[in-house]
Amino acid sequence: MISRIYFALFVVGSALCQQIDPNTLFNVFGSPSNYAGSVAPLAQATPVRPNETLTDPDYWDVDELPAAAVADYDKFDWTLTKRVSSSSEANFLLSPLGLKLALAILTEAATGLTRSELQSVLGFEMDRVAVRRKFSTIIDSLQKQSPQYILNLGSKIYVENTAHPRQMFAAIAHQFYKTDLTPIDFHNPPVAAKSINDWVANLTQGRITDLVNQDDLENVVVMILNTLYFKGSWRHQFNPNSTKQGSFYVTPKLQKPVTFMNVKDKFFFTESTKFDAKILRMPYLGYKFSMYVVVPNSLTGLPRVLEGLAELRPEMDLLQERLVDVTLPKFHFEFSSHLDSVLREMGVRQAFEDTASFPGIARGQSLQQRLRVSKVLQRSGIEVNELGSIAYSATEISLVNKFGEDDEAGVEVLANKPFFFLIQDETTRQLLFTGRVSDPSLVDGAFKKQ
């Protein structure tokens, strides 16, 4: 499974770019007891006046606010999935965690209303230190190696040679998000694109080889990438000899022949009355990651599940071990989604406006240097077969300047109709991927809403 994210930051104007010194963290943070630092309560940004600069003199320079209540880190994931699912009835695949990690880094560079909106939509605490530690824990968990699965997680911030981001931003990205700044010449698009694509292809084991092209790099100053690749084998693998053709109800009146896999073993399962659906947990080897499959009992029941996604987590906590006869279609598809409008609908608006504020990225930020988000694109793919799963996703966020029952009885789960699934890191309960299979016979799809 692969998740990849990148931000392309476009800005007019130039400044000197400095290589981040290896001792930056110590010089910036000092001892661990000095790691605190945040901003005062956020308020509506004031109108921009001629000759006004947007440097925030208090950026990361004041004491942290008191820790707030524990944030609901699932809220963003479920809301994003629900909004994308409502756009059509086709297959879709998202990487909520991938997008969230990228937006978290962007939030670190933001101030004022820009940061306030991102923080609210992402469900973050007001305490910046708490958010940083949360993501540091998530990343540390994902980076633990195991012979039972493959998971490569990497982040990088490419910085135009003429740019001059704040060293504090670089230090925080390194310390808490395991992300380093790398100088690059975006004015030489062929070389820059090759360098970026080679790095991504290496981490994703060749699954994604062309994340960016030369046109994507026009006027770019900073590009933030987050890449997640996961390949897992089922704890209870499907017997290839049991794989056979069957009918999948794309709609109540339309059936398509697809290949179904079958396995009968002990799984955690529940019959959800709330959703009138069966919920099945299918662990991968090592039990750290699992796929959850939600199959409605009726041919037209999936919209009910997707509409109530915010209430799915409590139902997942009701699973009990049962003997389950599982019949699941093999599927392999890719999906592209433009998420600009979705994020706007969710409340991220200021980041797309000319008055967006990202002083952590562009020091000074005069009127000619204002950065704003121009697009958010995610490209994803997944393959599920008898042995396990491979999924991959690429998210691009571009910023431009303003111009531009009993066990013996057993139960059956027959996924022969549209169903919902998610892949979760069981340690941190983070959603690596969420998706819907409406037609297992299709191999690609696109969601475009701008």
Side-chain angles (χ1 to χ4, degrees), residues 133-370:
R133 288 173 178 166
K134 174 71 174 182
F135 278 98
S136 180
T137 299
I138 292 172
I139 294 170
D140 286 344
S141 175
L142 292 175
Q143 288 184 331
K144 290 181 179 178
Q145 299 299 308
S146 170
Q148 297 177 311
Y149 57 80
I150 298 173
L151 193 143
N152 297 331
L153 175 65
S155 295
K156 184 171 290 192
I157 302 176
Y158 287 98
V159 183
E160 165 57 42
N161 291 330
T162 59
H164 192 184
R166 294 191 55 150
Q167 287 198 350
M168 180 66 84
F169 171 69
I172 289 175
H174 175 92
Q175 174 70 9
F176 298 100
Y177 300 92
K178 307 298 186 292
T179 301
D180 292 322
L181 272 69
T182 300
I184 194 170
D185 184 7
F186 283 121
H187 296 297
N188 189 343
V191 175
K194 183 179 186 305
S195 177
I196 293 169
N197 288 331
D198 286 349
W199 179 79
V200 172
N202 179 60
L203 280 179
T204 60
Q205 299 198 356
R207 288 283 170 167
I208 302 180
T209 58
D210 57 350
L211 176 62
V212 299
N213 56 45
Q214 297 182 36
D215 293 338
D216 292 326
L217 305 184
E218 183 179 358
N219 296 325
V220 170
V221 171
V222 179
M223 179 176 289
I224 304 176
L225 298 111
N226 175 275
T227 304
L228 174 65
Y229 172 89
F230 169 73
K231 180 178 181 180
S233 299
W234 299 123
R235 173 65 180 82
H236 306 294
Q237 294 189 354
F238 294 84
N239 186 346
N241 293 329
S242 299
T243 300
K244 59 184 179 181
Q245 291 291 109
S247 295
F248 187 94
Y249 288 85
V250 178
T251 70
K253 296 182 179 180
L254 175 61
Q255 301 179 44
K256 286 191 176 182
V258 302
T259 303
F260 284 94
M261 309 176 293
N262 180 260
V263 64
K264 188 172 183 179
D265 214 313
K266 290 289 187 68
F267 292 94
F268 278 85
F269 164 91
T270 191
E271 183 76 47
S272 172
T273 302
K274 177 184 289 292
F275 291 108
D276 187 27
K278 295 175 173 63
I279 304 177
L280 175 71
R281 173 179 175 266
M282 301 174 59
Y284 296 97
L285 285 177
Y287 290 101
K288 179 172 173 57
F289 302 99
S290 295
M291 174 182 285
Y292 289 77
V293 180
V294 185
V295 183
N297 290 323
S298 70
L299 296 179
T300 58
L302 188 56
R304 175 176 172 177
V305 174
L306 296 172
E307 180 63 27
L309 281 180
E311 301 175 54
L312 181 58
R313 176 70 70 187
E315 296 295 296
M316 292 167 59
D317 292 337
L318 299 176
L319 273 61
Q320 296 183 344
E321 193 171 35
R322 301 287 304 276
L323 178 63
V324 186
D325 188 349
V326 181
T327 301
L328 186 73
K330 295 175 65 171
F331 58 94
H332 179 196
F333 66 87
E334 296 186 346
F335 183 77
S336 297
S337 52
H338 290 272
L339 301 172
D340 310 6
S341 292
V342 172
L343 288 174
R344 285 178 181 271
E345 291 168 2
M346 292 173 67
V348 178
R349 300 185 180 92
Q350 189 68 19
F352 293 93
E353 303 300 330
D354 293 343
T355 51
S357 178
F358 296 106
I361 295 174
R363 179 176 296 186
Q365 286 212 115
S366 66
L367 288 176
Q368 291 74 31
Q369 293 177 303
R370 294 308 294 271

